[in-house]
């Protein structure tokens, strides 16, 4: 296993000790399920905001936790949980818009995608993974405009993203 800078862990090998909710052999590192789900937590809300929870308001069927300013705009950390309690999606809002790194997870904890936003628009390289990381693809965005998409099963060219 290895602990990443963000505090999460990735493991490989086999058996239930791998920590991803299966007993399958893993040749590539997979996300370890956290015993304590991440949360936006009321004590982590920025000053002048209130802690909120609620039903899904996007494409995922998750229950969300976020901090909200008096004008109704989200501010700070957002965490959505699957009905089994694991993290489905996490990221940050600034003035009601997605900002920085957002991560989306399968219900068993393995990562689906890592996406970056600037002022609410897709920006930079987005990476999406299949279940058990059998394949992945990357898409480059420049302030909301898709520049290119790379599918590692069909295109191994090296590319840069503005």
């Amino acid at each position: 296993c290895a602990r990443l800078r963000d505090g999460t862990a990735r493991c490989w090998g086999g058996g239930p000790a791998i920590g991803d909710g299966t007993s399958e052999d893993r040749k590539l590192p997979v996300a370890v399920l956290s015993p304590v789900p991440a949360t936006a937590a009321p004590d982590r809300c920025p000053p002048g905001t209130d802690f909120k929870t609620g039903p899904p308001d996007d494409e995922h069927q998750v229950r969300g936790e976020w901090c909200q300013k008096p004008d109704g705009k989200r501010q700070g950390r957002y965490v959505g949980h699957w009905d089994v309690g694991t993290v489905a999606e996490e990221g940050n809002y600034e003035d009601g818009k997605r900002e920085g790194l957002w991560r989306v997870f399968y219900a068993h904890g393995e990562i689906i995608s890592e996406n970056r936003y600037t002022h609410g628009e897709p920006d930079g390289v987005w990476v999406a993974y299949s279940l058990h990381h059998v394949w992945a693809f990357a898409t480059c965005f420049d302030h909301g405009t898709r520049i290119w998409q790379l599918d590692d099963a069909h295109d191994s060219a090296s590319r840069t993203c503005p």
Side-chain angles (χ1 to χ4, degrees):
C1 292
R3 182 172 298 278
L4 305 180
R5 288 185 187 137
D6 66 3
T8 62
R10 301 283 189 270
C11 292
W12 54 94
I18 192 100
D20 71 347
T22 73
S23 58
E24 296 180 29
D25 186 37
R26 302 284 186 224
K27 293 182 181 9
L28 297 172
V30 296
V32 175
L33 295 176
S34 173
V36 179
T39 181
D43 61 337
R44 294 186 193 159
C45 284
T49 64
D50 295 317
F51 180 73
K52 302 285 185 180
T53 63
D57 65 345
D58 56 19
E59 70 274 12
H60 303 293
Q61 295 299 309
V62 300
R63 182 159 187 83
E65 299 177 344
W66 65 92
C67 304
Q68 186 169 298
K69 295 175 9 176
D71 64 5
K73 292 180 180 176
R74 292 181 180 183
Q75 182 72 23
R77 184 166 170 75
Y78 170 88
V79 179
H81 292 95
W82 293 109
D83 59 2
V84 295
T86 57
V87 175
E89 181 177 36
E90 63 182 358
N92 286 292
Y93 280 97
E94 285 187 19
D95 204 27
K97 296 178 181 177
R98 290 180 178 214
E99 188 67 32
L101 178 65
W102 278 70
R103 298 186 310 167
V104 181
F105 301 89
Y106 291 102
H108 69 277
E110 189 174 344
I111 194 159
I112 296 174
S113 66
E114 296 177 299
N115 312 316
R116 295 195 176 276
Y117 292 87
T118 300
H119 307 296
E121 294 183 335
D123 200 31
V125 177
W126 285 31
V127 180
Y129 306 95
S130 69
L131 187 62
H132 310 309
H133 294 200
V134 175
W135 55 262
F137 69 88
T139 306
C140 172
F141 290 95
D142 186 14
H143 301 289
T145 301
R146 188 171 85 173
I147 306 299
W148 53 257
Q149 183 167 319
L150 178 68
D151 178 343
D152 73 355
H154 300 96
D155 186 353
S156 60
S158 176
R159 300 188 185 179
T160 58
C161 189

